[in-house]
Amino acid sequence: MTTGQDTRAQGGTGRTRGRPRSFDRATALEKALMAFWEHGYEATSVSDLTRLMGIGAPSLYAAFGDKRTLFDEVVRVYAGSHGAFTDRALAEEPTARAGVARMLREAAAEYTDPAHPHGCLIVHAATNCTSPEVETLLRDMRNANITAIEARIRADVAAGLLPAGTDAAALARHAGAMIQGMSQQARDGARREELEALAEIAMTIWPHD
């Protein structure tokens, strides 16, 4: 006679042997984001990812593709969440000066937030990276941020909100250098108050109309 336990073992009503464990994709992706943010692309291995995400390698590949494809998705998520403050500041403030000032203030807060790794993923993830594609992806994103700042400055020059002789390219690159430098200093242990003071000093070089 077959017992109920035997029936379940044969797969009648029980869980099929070898069935992949289900997982929350968004939660797993956030854990991958934190790993890449903390350790960078190169130093984060697939075994690190599967351990931190709580899934096996087959599930990782099925849900996210390979490590590079997963990283691309992580970068998109980061840009739309933790890193979105830069775009918001430029879009919501009435002037380039106000936008950059807000951007630097919010960078000081975001880069030192104890809830996640310090600094900026876009700045640090390619450290010691041997993948030209990853280096190019992150470099292009950093340069795009500087280009967006420059465009906003040029618009203010055209509108008479900044002097006609303002060097928009240099001023934008200065802002980009401040963002990137603040990220590194946050990684090195700088406190929020220290970075906020730095942001205030950075804005003193801006020309007045």
Side-chain angles (χ1 to χ4, degrees), residues 173-185:
R173 193 157 294 280
H174 173 266
M178 293 304 305
I179 284 281
Q180 294 172 28
M182 289 168 71
S183 176
Q184 182 59 57
Q185 291 198 16

Side-chain angles (χ1 to χ4, degrees), residues 35 41 47 51 66 74 80 140 181 184:
Y41 178 81
S47 61
R51 174 175 53 82
D66 60 13
V74 158
D140 288 349
Q184 182 59 57

Side-chain angles (χ1 to χ4, degrees), residues 97 160-163 207-209:
R97 182 198 301 275
L161 299 173
L162 286 170
H208 294 277
D209 55 8

Side-chain angles (χ1 to χ4, degrees), residues 14-84:
R15 186 174 182 176
T16 303
R17 181 175 296 176
R19 179 180 178 183
R21 183 173 63 181
S22 62
F23 65 94
D24 183 270
R25 192 178 190 282
T27 299
L29 185 60
E30 181 68 11
K31 290 178 180 178
L33 188 157
M34 294 297 168
F36 283 125
W37 193 349
E38 178 67 32
H39 303 292
Y41 178 81
E42 194 72 24
T44 304
S45 67
V46 171
S47 61
D48 292 332
L49 292 167
T50 55
R51 174 175 53 82
L52 293 169
M53 296 165 77
I55 60 176
S59 294
L60 185 150
Y61 291 125
F64 301 102
D66 60 13
K67 175 182 169 181
R68 170 63 203 285
T69 305
L70 170 60
F71 181 72
D72 287 348
E73 185 169 354
V74 158
V75 168
R76 289 194 296 273
V77 170
Y78 178 87
S81 55
H82 301 284

Side-chain angles (χ1 to χ4, degrees), residues 28-207:
L29 185 60
E30 181 68 11
K31 290 178 180 178
L33 188 157
M34 294 297 168
F36 283 125
W37 193 349
E38 178 67 32
H39 303 292
Y41 178 81
E42 194 72 24
T44 304
S45 67
V46 171
S47 61
D48 292 332
L49 292 167
T50 55
R51 174 175 53 82
L52 293 169
M53 296 165 77
I55 60 176
S59 294
L60 185 150
Y61 291 125
F64 301 102
D66 60 13
K67 175 182 169 181
R68 170 63 203 285
T69 305
L70 170 60
F71 181 72
D72 287 348
E73 185 169 354
V74 158
V75 168
R76 289 194 296 273
V77 170
Y78 178 87
S81 55
H82 301 284
F85 68 91
T86 56
D87 289 339
R88 282 198 306 266
L90 289 180
E92 296 175 2
E93 294 301 321
T95 65
R97 182 198 301 275
V100 171
R102 172 177 162 183
M103 183 188 304
L104 295 180
R105 288 195 307 272
E106 293 190 3
E110 179 66 27
Y111 292 168
T112 58
D113 189 336
H116 53 63
H118 287 178
C120 172
L121 181 147
I122 306 303
V123 172
H124 294 289
T127 301
N128 299 322
C129 182
T130 60
S131 169
E133 295 83 5
V134 170
E135 289 182 331
T136 298
L137 168 68
L138 300 179
R139 181 173 60 247
D140 288 349
M141 293 184 72
R142 293 191 297 269
N143 286 336
N145 187 49
I146 293 173
T147 298
I149 297 170
E150 181 179 346
R152 189 66 200 276
I153 293 170
R154 290 191 185 282
D156 278 12
V157 172
L161 299 173
L162 286 170
T166 298
D167 188 337
L171 199 55
R173 193 157 294 280
H174 173 266
M178 293 304 305
I179 284 281
Q180 294 172 28
M182 289 168 71
S183 176
Q184 182 59 57
Q185 291 198 16
R187 297 280 287 197
D188 290 344
R191 301 189 310 275
R192 174 177 176 173
E193 303 78 38
E194 293 173 321
L195 296 184
E196 287 174 338
L198 184 62
E200 288 186 18
I201 293 172
M203 294 307 299
T204 62
I205 64 99
W206 276 62

